[in-house]
Every structure is written in structure tokens, then in C-alpha cells.
Amino acid sequence: MRYVTGGESHGPALTAIVSGVPAGLEISEKQINADLARRQSGYGRGGRQQIERDTVRVLSGVRFGKTLGTPVTLQVANRDWENWTDRMAVFGDAPEDLKRETTPRPGHADLLGVIKTDTDDCRNILERASARETAARVAASGIAREFLASVGVEVYSYVRRIGSVELDEGGKDFLTLPYNPLDIETSEVRCPDEAATASMKRAIDRARQDRNTLGGEFRVIVTGLVPGLGGYAERGERLTALLGGALFSIPAIKGVEFGIGFDVAKRPGSDVHDEIVCEQPGGFTRTTNRAGGLEGGMTTGLPLVITAAMKPIPTLMRPLKTVNIDTLEPEEASKERSDVCAVPAAAVVAEAEVAFVLAEAYLEKFGRDNMTDIRAAIKSYRQRVKTMSR
């Protein structure tokens, strides 16, 4: 299962096409729209979110609420397009008074995109490099998430840090993660702790007053996975590589950890690896989950735990210094409508990327034609795994 997206930030719409979808999968338009709303929410979001109210339109691949086994096309309209029809016109001549963007932002794709594509207008780059594109990813992931839910897999996320403010989790080993989803989704920063939420909001307020931006960290958790998804024999099979690559495809993600992550470098092996035990009726399991649900590039069956670090948004209301690509003289970087902090939203996009990787891992292992055969194959596999541990 894969997707491709098209569209610009201020174009008519964002479009996603999802291929490799099995037949007979129930799809909920309401659930996709709920995820789109979560991507738009979060304390510290900017003015664009007041304009857009993202909803999905399914254009192909679904009939009477179930997939046909053909590519699914989804579209999310850009309401702001009405204000950009002359500046982003598909055909015709550019307006005489068109203002080109000539002051690339440090930390953005602007300058290198201009160099790569031989253009004299940063807008040709920033319209596609914008995080607005991730709305299409989240819409597309509704297909992958519905598939995972149908086989008993749940994907969720929470924010653990914004700027210097961190959620104290007391040295978790990730074997159990008792956060209430309601506590996450009712927090304005999607953090499951009231005191940490309040501190994070204060940090965002200070950054807004300083006309600055903040990054942070979030965790993506996946439960209900069977053991043995992925592979160990070739580089393209390892889920660590596939998940890491998917998460790094999100604009602004600068670091990814699995389980205890970089702590493995400072601990002895006896305090890193998860001891194996055999319990009935569950079978093989681990006494800890420091590996975060992955071992040798494959799922262990324990919760998958991924932490990602997001850099601050590069569009600052107090712009950094740059160079004008026309005059080659020092100047202030350009300003677009921007968020102060988008970490909660980035976590929802990360859920989408993780869901696609895991959905494809299931389809690779259990077939991809239709949901009836896939469910039967998963049931048979689970039974064989239980038999091995008796």
C-alpha cells in the first residue's frame, strides 16, 4: 500500500492516490475528517488554520463504503485558493504586479530548491515544500488506518516535549503505556498530563510574544501488532529503516528514536536488551520493552514506540538574515502566515506515515487481494505462533 500526493499550498486542492488497497475494506469518511481536524488543531497554530476547514472528498476506489481493490483517490480543497487565483493560476501570463519571493528563509527548502530547479521565484518551491502538503498525507492515511484497525492494530501519538518543557515519564520501559486517549486529545498540545500541558502552553505564549517559534518531541505508539512483521535478510525489509525513512520524509523532523533510543549508547547490554520469557496462554514475550517493539528489523508483538524530534518552524515573525537572490545583498527572510508551534500536528502526520509502513508490512506478509483472505491468513499465523510456545 502506497500513496502519492499532488497539489500546492495555495492551489485549488491537495490530492492523494492510494494504490495497493485490498478489496472489501470499510472506509469511514467521518474518521478521515476527524484525523484532518486533529492535524489542524493544537495550541500555537497560525492564521491559515482559521481559513481552512479540511474535509476529504473520495473520488475513486470506493463503492457503498467499501474499497474495490483499485486505487483510491482523495481530495482536500484549499479554501484559501480563492485569494490566490491570479498568483497561482495554472495557465496564462503572470500578473504585471506579481511580487516574486526573492528572500529565501533559513531552515526552509527555498534557496536550495531555487538552485535545483533554476527558477527566480522561491514561491515555485515553497508552495510544494510547505507543510500544508501533509493534509493530503493524513487524508490518504485514512485508508491505511482503517486497514490496521480492521486487523486489531491501533496507532496513536502524544507530545512529550515543547521547547524546554518536557513530560516527566519516570524512566518508562514501554512495556505498558497507560495513557488515556481522551487525556491526549482533550489537551490543547496533545500531552496527557495537565501540568505539563499548562507549562507547554506558557512556553508557546512566550515564543509568540518574542515573535519566535518552538519545536519539540512526540511519540507514536502502535499496539496490537503481530510478531515477525518486517524482515532481517535485506536492507529494504527492515522496519527500522522503513519507519525511519517515512518519518524523516515529514518536513521539520530531525531525529527518530525507537524505544529508549540514544540511551542505548550509554548503558551496558544487560540494561538495554529485553529478556525473553514464555508465558501461557500468551506465549513468547519480554520482561521489558526498551527496544520499543522492534528487534532485528521486525516487530516483537509488544507496543511499537517511536520518538521523533521536530525543529522549530523556519518562518519567523522576527525574520532571520538572508540574501536576496536578485541583488545578492543582505536582507530579511520572507514571511508567510506561520504557526508558533506545530508539534501536536506533526505527531498526527507521523501517525499517518507509520500507519502506511505497517499496513504494507501486513499486506506483504498476509496477502493483498481482499480482506476475507487477509483476516484468515492473520488468524492462521497467530494460531501457529501460539502453538510454537506450548
Side-chain angles (χ1 to χ4, degrees):
M1 189 184 296
R2 292 175 174 82
Y3 73 87
V4 61
T5 70
E8 286 73 47
S9 180
H10 294 95
L14 299 166
T15 301
I17 300 176
V18 184
S19 59
V21 181
L25 175 64
E26 292 188 9
I27 301 298
S28 168
E29 186 179 64
K30 181 179 178 180
Q31 185 58 55
I32 296 174
N33 287 336
D35 287 334
L36 286 170
R38 288 198 304 134
R39 192 201 74 91
Q40 288 193 278
S41 66
Y43 198 77
R45 299 305 301 273
R48 181 71 186 270
Q49 309 313 317
Q50 304 304 314
I51 297 173
E52 305 294 349
R53 288 291 183 271
D54 291 340
T55 56
V56 71
R57 184 182 178 198
V58 180
L59 301 177
S60 75
V62 178
R63 185 174 187 230
F64 305 131
K66 288 188 176 182
T67 56
L68 300 173
T70 54
V72 178
T73 305
L74 308 103
Q75 187 179 81
V76 178
N78 287 327
R79 290 188 179 184
D80 208 14
W81 159 247
E82 297 175 3
N83 302 315
W84 289 76
T85 53
D86 57 341
R87 288 170 287 176
M88 291 295 295
V90 177
F91 297 110
D93 296 327
E96 291 184 5
D97 61 348
L98 179 69
K99 182 182 181 297
R100 291 183 294 110
E101 293 290 349
T102 59
T103 50
R105 291 161 291 177
H108 207 279
D110 298 348
L111 177 60
L112 297 178
V114 162
I115 294 170
K116 177 180 177 67
T117 62
D118 190 28
T119 183
D120 63 355
D121 190 347
C122 293
R123 182 155 301 283
N124 291 349
I125 312 306
L126 66 87
E127 281 289 330
R128 181 61 183 174
S130 167
R132 174 71 185 150
E133 180 266 343
T134 62
R137 303 192 194 197
V138 171
S141 79
I143 310 301
R145 294 177 70 104
E146 292 281 16
F147 171 79
L148 292 175
S150 74
V151 296
V153 177
E154 180 185 8
V155 184
Y156 68 96
S157 66
Y158 65 92
V159 173
R160 67 172 302 273
R161 174 191 291 276
I162 288 179
S164 62
V165 181
E166 182 178 357
L167 170 66
D168 182 5
E169 298 189 274
K172 281 190 173 299
D173 64 8
F174 305 120
L175 196 59
T176 57
L177 296 149
Y179 295 130
N180 184 338
L182 186 63
D183 292 338
I184 297 171
E185 299 303 337
T186 55
S187 164
E188 290 185 89
V189 290
R190 303 193 65 251
C191 175
D193 180 85
E194 287 187 13
T197 291
S199 295
M200 290 175 181
K201 289 174 62 178
R202 286 193 292 270
I204 293 170
D205 289 339
R206 289 192 295 270
R208 181 184 289 109
Q209 292 168 6
D210 196 35
R211 301 168 67 199
N212 218 325
T213 58
L214 286 178
E217 297 176 16
F218 57 81
R219 284 207 172 105
V220 178
I221 310 295
V222 187
T223 59
L225 295 165
V226 297
L229 294 174
Y232 61 90
E234 297 186 44
R235 61 189 295 274
E237 298 176 350
R238 289 179 173 265
L239 283 183
T240 35
L242 295 171
L243 289 164
L247 289 166
F248 278 123
S249 77
I250 302 170
I253 299 303
K254 303 299 286 185
V256 175
E257 295 183 343
F258 298 93
I260 62 173
F262 281 92
D263 272 1
V264 301
K266 59 187 179 184
R267 297 188 186 188
S270 58
D271 197 24
V272 169
H273 304 298
D274 303 309
E275 293 185 321
I276 301 170
V277 295
C278 187
E279 297 177 349
Q280 297 301 335
F284 297 117
T285 188
R286 312 300 171 103
T287 57
T288 56
N289 189 25
R290 300 174 186 130
L294 288 175
E295 198 169 68
M298 298 167 287
T299 54
T300 64
L302 294 178
L304 176 62
V305 182
I306 310 172
T307 307
M310 177 186 183
K311 70 180 182 182
I313 293 167
T315 303
L316 276 66
M317 294 301 101
R318 188 180 62 189
L320 297 173
K321 297 297 182 183
T322 189
V323 174
N324 188 301
I325 60 174
D326 277 352
T327 66
L328 303 184
E329 294 295 324
E331 204 167 318
E332 286 188 345
S334 64
K335 292 187 294 185
E336 294 277 313
R337 258 191 316 260
S338 180
D339 304 321
V340 175
C341 178
V343 178
V348 177
V349 179
E351 291 176 19
E353 289 295 340
V354 168
F356 263 106
V357 172
L358 295 176
E360 174 57 23
Y362 266 91
L363 294 170
E364 181 70 23
K365 186 168 182 63
F366 298 111
R368 57 180 73 247
D369 287 342
N370 65 79
M371 293 306 300
T372 301
D373 291 349
I374 292 168
R375 290 192 185 99
I378 293 173
K379 182 178 180 181
S380 175
Y381 179 77
R382 287 186 180 276
Q383 187 60 43
R384 180 175 70 79
V385 172
K386 284 184 179 180
T387 302
M388 288 177 64
S389 60
R390 289 176 182 169

